[in-house]
């Protein structure tokens, strides 16, 4: 692994993988269904595949009132998928078994591979896909270094659309619900010409928000803060609303069993107010943060459980620098932005399958995708002048994958493949950060524009061999070599967008990436280069004791590429960080019991994790006091856990599904520099290790779900199916670094555990082509938090929370044809 800072711009990427499959519902309706997947590049029964996989069909997702990709996590063990906080725009957070990413910034890699019809989706921005016309979603848990490859150390999630068949048919669906919720979905399958088929699907969603944005001056007329609204209602708009539309078309040419060619195109637009947020803690006495009439930033700006006082900008002012008379009175410009979070994206892909012979098949997957996202964020949710920012990202991505599948007699199968991807994201941001403390140099006001291009490239070759020495024993071995390159170019301008900001561009302490510039001082225009390669492997053996029981044992590796800190608040923070790596040991049991009325799958794993990447919000050891958002390799950890999934039909008409997972994280050693000490080798000293939280990466230790439904046959009147789901998630830490006991982070920054229940009642007519469903989510109206954004460690004195959606109801009518 190499890391330098130089003038030319290069790129970093990572490998990709594939998997595909289909559901085959066969036999007695009261037995568990057969599910066929191709996670190992060929068709296999789910229960024959030595990987911890959860496969959820489109019909099951509908039964569980799941409308977006993040909803699948509710019933999937060890998986956390959530809409990101408003500070991260239109993106998601994703982790599997504690490994993933929460930050949308293109300098980071996701850690969980996301795939749309076998095409890798490289960023968290725009990844909360609507589940329109989905055949199934597959979740592969554990590192997929040799299968899905690129940055899939935690696992992979595969979104698989229904494909054209030429059989005709389709559906129309309409939903109306609380806060004027409207959802429309439609899909149609048709034949264009002989052997040429098409499928078109679309979705539209609109709903009002549930967190009020209040005009503070209007609601508090004696405060002296000017009102910005007229009248007495004082409400400006609502957060947490929905405004989503998408369209997908698939064209398929299938003249024979030997040729199958598909071309697909999709378009998505997601525009709504910012994500729902409330202020939980406010305390910053810095005079630069006070309102226009001098009110300090404190608890007066905490509005309540379902409201905030956010603004879309900050007034002009004069910087108070304390001990630095030359900077006192430095003018600060007014800044303003938008109240909406906007995303617009599109993509095209081609998938070609050619059977060269009875034992040889060639697959080619080509894809291009582009998107644009913009949003503004008021970090303090108040009229105070703590922090405000505008963000705009533009992105394109191109990938090509080839693989050759061979059947080597009756005892073995093999796959050989190659992958290449190239992408570029340009991240424009305007930041107005006034919470920096008064004091000696290098403290200064932070008003600047960044316009940073990030180029990422990845190349990989991979192979897998599956050998069956006996009818009961199967041995699988795979290897993948990946070469990653990344280039991050820094620009730090004043608010005119032209002149270089002298504070942010000044050189600080040596940062280990060998940068240089004009006169040895410039950061703007410099390009940080990351280059690294990696061999990953997977070895697995499974043994079928009987038609009902399969056991397997697997050793596999995964990794997430390194890069450079993308948010330096001085040149010394433009530091590199290396890859993190994972070796996983897993055993599992897959069973179909009691004449296939009960399916129970178990998995246990032990992960040896090295060079964990953590983002530090306070880093005086790297560049002095002031704001910080610096990723560094924090140390090594052991992560172990168990998972169980149950699906049962104990009596006719009744279905029970359940899952549970438990994960334990233990630091083995910690980099002393990350916790404020001197640079040195990874330390296992308990005093050093204890400075990091036990679950610093958003780990949920315990997670379980139970769902049950009963289909009552009404004869010629159809059927009536009530369903009830309950989901539990334990609490998690809200910060990267262990909070000090009694600190605001320890009290307000932790996300408590919660239990959420959903209910659904579905009527289906006798012909099974018309249904009416009433759904209620968060049935008992639990108030809970999806995440918290803690900026106390950075000096802002603010902690905000993202409340989950309150109780909501909706009625859906669906017609199949």
């Amino acid at each position: 692994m190499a890391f330098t800072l130089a003038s030319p711009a290069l790129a970093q990427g990572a490998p990709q993988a594939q998997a595909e499959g289909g559901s085959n519902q066969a036999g007695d309706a009261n037995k568990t269904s057969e599910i066929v997947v191709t996670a190992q590049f060929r068709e296999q029964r789910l229960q024959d595949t030595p990987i911890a996989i959860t496969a959820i069909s489109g019909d099951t997702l509908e039964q569980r009132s799941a409308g977006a990709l993040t909803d699948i996590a509710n019933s999937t063990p060890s998986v956390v998928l959530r809409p990101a906080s408003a500070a991260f725009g239109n993106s998601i957070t994703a982790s599997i078994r504690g490994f993933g990413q929460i930050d949308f910034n293109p300098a980071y890699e996701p850690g969980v591979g996301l795939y749309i019809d076998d095409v890798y989706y490289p960023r968290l921005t725009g990844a909360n896909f609507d589940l329109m016309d989905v055949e199934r979603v597959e979740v592969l848990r554990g590192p997929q270094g040799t299968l899905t490859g690129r940055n899939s150390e935690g696992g992979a999630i595969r979104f698989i659309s229904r494909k054209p068949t030429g059989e005709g048919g389709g559906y129309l669906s309409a939903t109306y619900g609380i806060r004027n919720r409207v959802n429309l979905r439609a899909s149609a399958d048709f034949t264009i010409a002989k052997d040429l088929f098409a499928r078109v699907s679309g979705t539209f969603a609109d709903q009002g928000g549930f967190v009020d944005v209040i005009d503070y001056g209007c609601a508090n007329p004696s405060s002296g803060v000017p009102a910005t609204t007229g009248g007495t209602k004082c409400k400006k708009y609502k957060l947490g609303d929905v405004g989503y539309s998408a369209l997908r078309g698939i064209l398929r040419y299938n003249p024979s069993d030997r040729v199958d060619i598909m071309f697909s195109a999709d378009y998505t637009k997601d525009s709504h107010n910012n994500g729902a947020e409330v202020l939980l803690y406010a305390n910053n006495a810095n005079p630069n943060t006070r309102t226009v009439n001098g009110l300090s930033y404190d608890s007066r700006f905490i509005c309540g459980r379902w409201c905030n006082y956010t603004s879309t900008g900050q007034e002009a002012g004069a910087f108070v620098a304390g001990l630095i008379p030359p900077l006192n009175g430095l003018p600060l410009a007014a800044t303003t932005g938008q109240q909406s979070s906007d995303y617009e994206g599109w993509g095209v892909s081609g998938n070609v399958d050619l059977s060269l012979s009875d034992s040889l098949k060639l697959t080619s997957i080509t894809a291009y995708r582009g998107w644009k996202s913009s949003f503004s964020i008021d970090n303090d949710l108040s009229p105070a002048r703590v922090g405000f920012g505008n963000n705009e990202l533009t992105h394109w991505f191109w990938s090509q994958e080839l693989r050759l599948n061979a059947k080597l007699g009756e005892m073995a199968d093999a796959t050989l493949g190659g992958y290449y991807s190239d992408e570029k994201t340009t991240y424009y941001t305007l930041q107005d950060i006034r919470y920096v403390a008064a004091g000696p140099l290098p403290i200064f006001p932070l008003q600047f524009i960044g316009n940073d291009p990030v180029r990422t490239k990845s190349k990989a070759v991979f192979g897998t061999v599956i050998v069956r020495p006996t009818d009961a024993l199967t041995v699988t071995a795979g290897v993948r070599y990946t070469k990653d390159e990344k280039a991050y170019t820094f620009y730090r301008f004043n608010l005119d967008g032209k002149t270089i900001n002298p504070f942010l561009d000044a050189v600080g302490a040596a940062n280990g990436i060998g940068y240089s510039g004009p006169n040895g001082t410039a950061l703007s225009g410099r390009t940080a280069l990351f280059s690294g390669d990696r061999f990953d492997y997977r070895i697995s053996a499974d043994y079928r004791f009987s038609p009902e029981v399969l056991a397997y044992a697997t050793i596999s590796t995964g990794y997430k590429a390194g890069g450079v800190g993308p948010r330096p608040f001085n040149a010394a923070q433009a530091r590199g960080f290396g890859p993190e790596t994972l070796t996983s040991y897993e055993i599992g049991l897959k069973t179909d019991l009691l004449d296939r009325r009960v399916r129970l799958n178990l998995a246990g794993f032990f992960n040896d994790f090295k060079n964990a990447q953590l983002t530090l919000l306070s880093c005086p050891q790297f560049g002095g006091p002031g704001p910080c958002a610096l990723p560094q390799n924090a140390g090594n950890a052991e992560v172990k856990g168990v998972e169980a999934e149950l699906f049962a039909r104990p009596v006719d008409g009744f279905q029970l599904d359940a899952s549970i997972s438990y994960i334990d994280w233990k630091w083995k050693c910690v980099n002393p520099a990350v916790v404020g000490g001197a640079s040195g080798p990874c330390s296992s000293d308990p005093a050093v290790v204890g400075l990091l939280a036990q679950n610093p990466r958003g780990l949920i230790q315990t997670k379980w779900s139970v769902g049950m439904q009963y289909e009552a046959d009404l004869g010629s009147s159809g059927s009536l199916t009530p369903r009830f789901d309950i989901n539990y998630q334990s609490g998690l830490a809200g910060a990267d670094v262990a909070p000090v006991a009694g600190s605001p982070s320890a009290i307000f920054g932790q996300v408590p555990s919660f239990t959420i229940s959903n209910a659904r009642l579905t009527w289906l007519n006798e012909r099974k082509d018309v249904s009416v469903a009433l759904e209620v989510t968060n049935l008992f109206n639990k108030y809970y938090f999806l995440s918290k954004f803690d900026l106390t460690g950075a000096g802002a004195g603010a902690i905000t929370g993202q409340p989950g959606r309150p109780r909501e109801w909706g009625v859906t009518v669906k017609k199949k044809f």
Side-chain angles (χ1 to χ4, degrees):
M1 185 270 290
F3 205 110
T4 60
L5 190 66
S7 295
L10 275 154
Q12 182 263 330
Q16 136 119 9
Q18 49 287 85
E20 115 190 40
S23 299
N24 178 22
Q25 313 260 343
D28 189 339
N30 290 306
K31 295 182 179 181
T32 57
S33 60
E34 292 284 12
I35 301 174
V36 177
V37 298
T38 57
Q40 298 187 123
F41 311 124
R42 56 198 29 85
E43 291 188 352
Q44 292 177 291
R45 292 174 61 246
L46 174 68
Q47 295 300 90
D48 289 336
T49 307
I51 302 174
I53 305 178
T54 299
I56 313 172
S57 70
D59 290 339
T60 300
L61 291 167
E62 189 173 302
Q63 291 169 358
R64 295 174 180 173
S65 301
L69 183 65
T70 52
D71 294 332
I72 71 170
N74 294 339
S75 56
T76 309
S78 300
V79 176
V80 180
L81 297 172
R82 292 178 176 175
S85 68
F88 293 156
N90 198 326
S91 65
I92 67 170
T93 67
S95 70
I96 298 178
R97 293 181 174 175
F99 303 95
Q101 184 57 255
I102 65 172
D103 196 332
F104 71 95
N105 194 290
Y108 305 116
E109 302 303 330
V112 171
L114 301 176
Y115 294 83
I116 308 174
D117 294 331
D118 284 344
V119 175
Y120 181 63
Y121 192 94
R123 298 293 142 212
L124 297 175
T125 296
N128 196 17
F129 317 123
D130 187 276
L131 298 177
M132 69 170 181
D133 208 28
V134 62
E135 178 183 304
R136 70 191 179 280
V137 175
E138 296 178 0
V139 181
L140 286 67
R141 301 187 298 279
Q144 304 300 319
T146 65
L147 297 176
T148 60
R150 181 174 176 183
N151 298 308
S152 299
E153 60 176 357
I157 300 172
R158 302 182 55 251
F159 179 101
I160 301 165
S161 306
R162 290 189 173 97
K163 298 175 176 59
T165 62
E167 298 176 355
Y171 68 89
L172 292 169
S173 173
T175 301
Y176 181 80
I178 192 172
R179 300 192 307 279
N180 293 319
R181 172 188 171 187
V182 175
N183 290 83
L184 303 174
R185 285 193 175 99
S187 180
D189 186 304
F190 50 91
T191 299
I192 298 177
K194 185 178 184 299
D195 303 324
L196 185 63
F197 318 121
R199 190 174 186 96
V200 178
S201 55
T203 185
F204 170 84
D206 187 80
Q207 186 182 21
F210 56 92
V211 170
D212 293 322
V213 175
I214 306 295
D215 177 359
Y216 183 84
C218 173
N220 300 273
S222 62
S223 67
V225 175
T228 59
T229 58
T232 58
K233 292 186 178 180
C234 302
K235 293 182 181 179
K236 297 194 287 187
Y237 53 93
K238 289 180 178 288
L239 304 176
D241 57 321
V242 177
Y244 187 97
S245 56
L247 184 67
R248 178 187 297 118
I250 303 176
L251 190 65
R252 182 182 186 189
Y253 179 61
N254 186 209
S256 70
D257 292 340
R258 291 186 176 273
V259 178
D260 195 356
I261 302 173
M262 285 197 301
F263 174 81
S264 65
D266 64 84
Y267 171 80
T268 300
K269 185 173 184 179
D270 192 354
S271 182
H272 52 81
N273 294 326
N274 272 341
E277 283 189 305
V278 297
L279 184 62
L280 303 174
Y281 177 83
N283 184 13
N284 194 319
N286 188 320
N288 297 298
T289 67
R290 294 173 184 167
T291 64
V292 67
N293 68 322
L295 296 183
S296 294
Y297 183 58
D298 55 31
S299 60
R300 80 186 80 215
F301 296 117
I302 297 176
C303 180
R305 296 180 4 137
W306 299 110
C307 64
N308 66 39
Y309 297 119
T310 191
S311 62
T312 54
Q314 298 186 156
E315 301 94 352
F319 183 68
V320 179
L323 302 179
I324 314 172
L327 292 183
N328 281 333
L330 183 74
L332 298 175
T335 51
T336 187
Q338 63 191 65
Q339 74 181 48
S340 63
S341 178
D342 300 320
Y343 171 88
E344 188 172 19
W346 63 277
V348 293
S349 64
N351 191 315
V352 179
D353 287 317
L354 301 176
S355 294
L356 306 179
S357 68
D358 291 342
S359 59
L360 206 59
K361 179 182 178 181
L362 178 67
T363 298
S364 171
I365 303 170
T366 308
Y368 182 89
R369 178 165 296 277
W371 52 257
K372 181 177 181 178
S373 177
S374 62
F375 61 97
S376 299
I377 181 65
D378 179 24
N379 291 320
D380 50 90
L381 299 183
S382 78
R385 298 177 289 192
V386 177
F388 178 80
N390 293 330
N391 303 271
E392 183 176 296
L393 297 93
T394 56
H395 169 90
W396 59 259
F397 172 80
W398 177 82
S399 66
Q400 173 64 54
E401 181 172 356
L402 289 172
R403 63 177 184 258
L404 189 66
N405 280 6
K407 187 172 180 60
L408 308 177
E410 295 299 319
M411 289 183 58
D413 299 316
T415 297
L416 180 65
Y419 172 82
Y420 176 80
S421 69
D422 187 8
E423 65 175 302
K424 181 181 179 180
T425 306
T426 301
Y427 183 14
Y428 168 91
T429 183
L430 182 154
Q431 293 294 320
D432 183 4
I433 303 174
R434 307 192 192 183
Y435 59 75
V436 289
L441 286 171
I443 296 302
F444 45 79
L446 294 178
Q447 284 193 318
F448 67 92
I449 286 176
N451 196 22
D452 301 351
V454 189
R455 192 74 180 270
T456 302
K457 292 182 181 180
S458 181
K459 306 170 187 176
V461 292
F462 55 89
T464 295
V465 177
I466 301 175
V467 181
R468 294 172 289 275
T470 70
D471 290 341
L473 176 65
T474 300
V475 178
T476 303
V479 66
R480 189 182 192 103
Y481 172 77
T482 303
K483 174 69 173 180
D484 287 335
E485 295 175 333
K486 178 177 289 185
Y488 194 108
T489 303
F490 296 95
Y491 290 100
R492 294 296 179 266
F493 300 113
N494 292 314
L495 296 189
D496 60 8
K498 299 177 182 178
T499 58
I500 292 177
N501 185 296
F503 299 116
L504 290 174
D505 209 65
V507 167
N511 57 20
I513 54 178
Y515 67 88
S516 62
N519 301 318
T521 61
L523 175 62
S524 288
R526 301 287 86 186
T527 298
L529 304 178
F530 169 84
S531 178
D533 59 359
R534 165 80 176 180
F535 275 102
D536 279 305
Y537 67 88
R538 177 172 174 266
I539 301 173
S540 180
D542 61 85
Y543 190 84
R544 182 159 288 285
F545 291 93
S546 70
E548 297 80 19
V549 179
L550 174 83
Y552 69 88
T554 300
I555 303 175
S556 57
T557 65
Y559 90 112
K560 187 164 67 174
V564 64
R567 299 184 179 100
F569 293 105
N570 56 60
Q573 291 181 9
R575 304 179 65 88
F577 60 95
E580 59 183 27
T581 62
L582 175 68
T583 301
S584 179
Y585 306 86
E586 180 176 331
I587 57 174
L589 193 68
K590 297 193 172 187
T591 69
D592 285 309
L593 308 173
L594 302 178
D595 194 26
R596 283 182 49 209
R597 282 181 174 262
V598 176
R599 171 173 293 164
L600 176 64
N601 292 344
L602 305 172
F605 58 88
F606 175 86
N607 293 331
D608 186 9
F609 185 42
K610 297 184 183 301
N611 298 314
Q613 298 170 1
L614 296 183
T615 299
L616 307 180
L617 297 181
S618 177
C619 57
Q621 66 274 37
F622 301 123
C628 179
L630 177 63
Q632 289 291 281
N633 296 101
N636 304 335
E638 293 178 347
V639 185
K640 52 190 175 182
V642 292
E643 300 163 344
E645 292 184 281
L646 172 70
F647 184 89
R649 296 182 182 270
V651 298
D652 294 354
F654 181 73
Q655 173 183 309
L656 174 69
D657 48 87
S659 69
I660 188 170
S661 58
Y662 175 83
I663 304 174
D664 180 66
W665 179 297
K666 182 179 180 181
W667 287 102
K668 294 171 58 180
C669 67
V670 168
N671 176 2
V674 167
V675 291
S679 296
C682 195
S683 172
S684 57
D685 184 339
V688 176
V689 173
L691 293 175
L692 284 188
Q694 291 301 308
N695 51 355
R697 292 164 56 92
L699 174 71
I700 290 179
Q701 189 172 60
T702 305
K703 186 172 182 285
W704 58 260
S705 70
V706 177
M708 59 193 77
Q709 65 183 57
Y710 180 77
E711 183 178 2
D713 189 349
L714 304 181
S716 60
S717 298
S719 64
L720 192 66
T721 304
R723 179 177 176 89
F724 182 76
D725 288 278
I726 183 169
N727 307 291
Y728 169 82
Q729 295 185 14
S730 62
L732 71 155
D736 285 336
V737 178
V740 178
S743 72
S745 294
I747 300 170
F748 301 100
Q750 313 303 297
V751 178
S753 62
F754 59 85
T755 304
I756 301 299
S757 301
N758 301 328
R760 187 180 182 96
L761 182 65
T762 304
W763 173 81
L764 184 66
N765 71 342
E766 186 179 19
R767 295 179 57 185
K768 300 185 183 300
D769 62 346
V770 176
S771 64
V772 180
L774 168 65
E775 67 177 53
V776 182
T777 54
N778 194 0
L779 179 64
F780 301 110
N781 206 24
K782 172 73 173 179
Y783 187 80
Y784 66 103
F785 290 99
L786 294 173
S787 64
K788 293 184 179 180
F789 191 49
D790 185 349
L791 283 174
T792 56
I799 301 177
T800 60
Q802 181 187 12
R805 304 186 78 84
R807 179 168 53 218
E808 298 183 334
W809 62 267
V811 177
T812 300
V813 179
K814 184 175 183 179
K815 166 64 178 175
K816 296 181 179 179
F817 56 88

